[in-house]
Structure formats: structure tokens, C-alpha cells
Amino acid sequence: MNKVVLVTGANSGIGLALCERLLSQDTEGLQLCLACRNMRRAQAARSALLTSHPSAQVALLQLDTSSISSVLSAAQEVKLRYNRLDYLYLNAGIMPNPQFDVKAFFKGLFSSNIITMFATGEGILTQKDGITHDGLQEVFATNLFGHFLLRSGSWSLFCARQAGPHS
């Protein structure tokens, strides 16, 4: 029986490396689903995986973890495609880029916190976090809440797994 594996953020980085590793260990007994925001990049990742593992079963799923509607649609799609889910790797994520605050830098030069400022970047490095269409902070929605909703929406597929001989 094939194991059904879903990996979020599977089109690059750690997610793609994980998919490559999974297929290297078990090409024949694995149904791999790449859940990605950018379908063009997902297709390129799928092609790369199939080049190195031609007999692999690799499917694509549109998923933007920062969008509640996208996550709920993806969870429904997973339920339609698969009768169970053996592994769910919640890998998708973003990190805001730190911004250098020039005004704070010059203000810090003439303060008693100058050593702390240079040692830690405190006060001169800021990170801007956007707001999603759903009104959530982008990093929280993408890295945590979207994965929570996906796992919650597909929980019945974990419960549907057949019990093993030692259960």
C-alpha cells in the first residue's frame, strides 16, 4: 500500500530537498503531493523530481498558507484526492526581511545604548510584517495559522489510516 505524503512549500529549499530524500528512499511505495503557492515553480519542482525519479507518483496542489480560503480549498481537495494521509510535512514559511532604520542609527550614535545597538542591532533593525486579505499578520498566517487550518481540515484523513498489526 502506497504511503500518501503531503509537503507544503515543496517547490524549493528544505521542502524540495525533503521530497528528493523521500523519493530516494521509497520511490515505488509513495504518493507525493507538493502543496505550493506558486504553481509554475511547483511544476518545475515536479519536473525535476520526475527527472531523477521517473517512476514516482508526484501530484501538485495549489496552497497559499497565508490565505484562509486557499487553505480550506486545499484541505477539501486533499480529501477528494486521497482516502488517507500518512504524513504531512508543514514546511511552508516566510521570513520578513530586516530593514535598516537610518534615523534610529544616527539617534543611537549619540545615546548611552550605542554598544548594545552595535552588538545586537536593537533599535536599528526593524522587520515589517504585512497584513493578509483576511486581516492577519502575514508571517503568523503563513507560518502557523495556515498550517493549523490545513491540519485541522485534513484530520479525518489521518484518522482514516488503517491500523497496523500492533495497534
Side-chain angles (χ1 to χ4, degrees):
M1 179 181 293
N2 285 355
K3 288 181 253 174
V4 179
V5 179
L6 189 140
V7 181
T8 68
N11 61 322
S12 65
I14 293 171
L16 182 57
L18 171 64
C19 292
E20 179 66 42
R21 179 78 179 258
L22 290 169
L23 290 174
S24 294
Q25 292 179 350
D26 190 7
T27 302
E28 299 301 323
L30 193 69
Q31 283 184 288
L32 183 61
C33 181
L34 312 181
C36 304
R37 176 180 54 205
N38 184 319
M39 294 310 287
R40 182 181 50 78
R41 291 178 60 195
Q43 184 59 49
R46 180 178 184 271
S47 296
L49 290 169
L50 290 174
T51 298
S52 55
H53 306 283
S55 63
Q57 296 179 50
V58 182
L60 299 178
L61 176 69
Q62 173 77 46
L63 171 66
D64 179 355
T65 56
S66 71
S67 166
I68 292 173
S69 61
S70 175
V71 173
L72 296 177
S73 292
Q76 287 299 331
E77 182 65 26
V78 168
K79 286 180 184 178
L80 292 173
R81 287 187 196 182
Y82 306 106
N83 60 1
R84 70 178 203 296
L85 196 54
D86 296 299
Y87 299 99
L88 175 61
Y89 291 96
L90 304 173
N91 169 69
I94 61 169
M95 185 178 115
N97 293 324
Q99 305 287 322
F100 180 72
D101 187 338
V102 176
K103 192 176 189 180
F105 173 74
F106 284 111
K107 184 178 176 185
L109 282 177
F110 302 106
S111 75
S112 60
N113 294 330
I114 190 167
I115 294 175
T116 303
M117 181 182 76
F118 281 116
T120 65
E122 183 180 329
I124 59 172
L125 293 177
T126 59
Q127 293 185 345
K128 302 216 190 246
D129 190 3
I131 303 295
T132 68
H133 294 295
D134 300 311
L136 299 170
Q137 288 184 309
E138 193 172 32
V139 172
F140 170 75
T142 303
N143 298 357
L144 299 167
F145 192 64
H147 284 133
F148 168 76
L149 287 178
L150 180 64
R151 198 228 21 107
S152 297
S154 58
W155 185 249
S156 62
L157 295 176
F158 285 107
C159 298
R161 291 191 303 184
Q162 293 180 355
H166 303 316
S167 296

